[in-house]
Each structure stands twice: as structure tokens, then as C-alpha cells.
Amino acid sequence: MARKRKRKSRRRQEGRKILELVPQYSIESGEDKPVTAARKYIQSVGISPPALLVVKRNEHTTDRYFWAEKGLFGAQYVEENHFLFPSLRDLQPQPPSKTAVATVVAR
């Protein structure tokens, strides 16, 4: 019996594309929990938001966090709710204006 494919959310795909434009930092958690390691790294390096942190927990597992003005969030949450973050609004692709569409159609 064929397995049904999982539907990909358009909103999440759009959020993932936006997060690709944000600076990304890769670190290892070491002895700390991944979120603690991310917070310590942000404080020690002085990273300004927005930024994406990829924390390697062990050889198989990585956790992704988004550093925003409001704090540290899970990257999956940010992908699904990217419109809630003002720093990501500037990175969103703008729809073409009606005057630009009208000039293309008129030609």
C-alpha cells in the first residue's frame, strides 16, 4: 500500500526561504543544554538580531534557534509565524506593484 505524502505548508516554506537570508552561526552545545549554549554564545560574541543559530547536540542531532529582538525562539516556530517578527518583514519578498504589472501588460 502506498504511503500518503505529508503536505508541505506554504506558510512554512515561505518562512524557511526568509530565514535563509538571515546570518547563520553554527556551534556545539558541549556540556550545556542546546538553548543554554545558544544563549551563552550570543552573549559572548555579541550577536545582534536577527540571527539563526544551529546548535549541534551530538553527531546526529542539531537544534535551530532564531535570535530576535524579543528573545530566542525555535526556528520551526519562526518559520510558521515569520509575519510576527518585525526584523523579518524587511526580508519578505514584496509583491509587484499594480503600476508595474499594468506597464508589463500594456506592452
Side-chain angles (χ1 to χ4, degrees):
M1 191 165 119
R3 288 179 51 174
K4 186 177 176 184
R5 294 180 119 200
K6 189 173 181 180
R7 184 180 171 276
K8 292 187 177 180
S9 165
R10 282 193 183 137
R11 189 166 78 178
R12 185 158 175 213
Q13 285 178 325
E14 184 181 336
R16 185 173 285 250
K17 288 178 186 175
I18 292 170
L19 280 184
E20 287 176 359
L21 303 173
V22 173
Q24 186 171 335
Y25 301 89
S26 296
I27 61 173
E28 292 192 22
S29 64
E31 295 295 317
D32 295 323
K33 291 182 179 180
V35 70
T36 306
R39 289 183 186 280
K40 285 181 179 179
Y41 184 77
I42 289 167
Q43 190 144 31
S44 68
V45 178
I47 298 172
S48 61
L52 189 68
L53 285 98
V54 179
V55 183
K56 190 170 183 173
R57 195 185 315 177
N58 57 41
E59 61 181 280
H60 304 291
T61 311
T62 57
D63 294 318
R64 296 169 50 236
Y65 298 101
F66 178 72
W67 175 236
E69 296 85 2
K70 301 175 186 177
L72 196 62
F73 295 88
Q76 185 174 342
Y77 173 79
V78 176
E79 286 173 357
E80 294 171 357
N81 301 292
H82 56 86
F83 49 87
L84 296 175
F85 296 88
S87 59
L88 294 179
R89 287 191 189 132
D90 300 335
L91 300 175
Q92 289 181 357
Q94 300 297 323
S97 63
K98 290 185 179 185
T99 56
V101 173
T103 56
V104 171
V105 173
R107 291 184 183 185

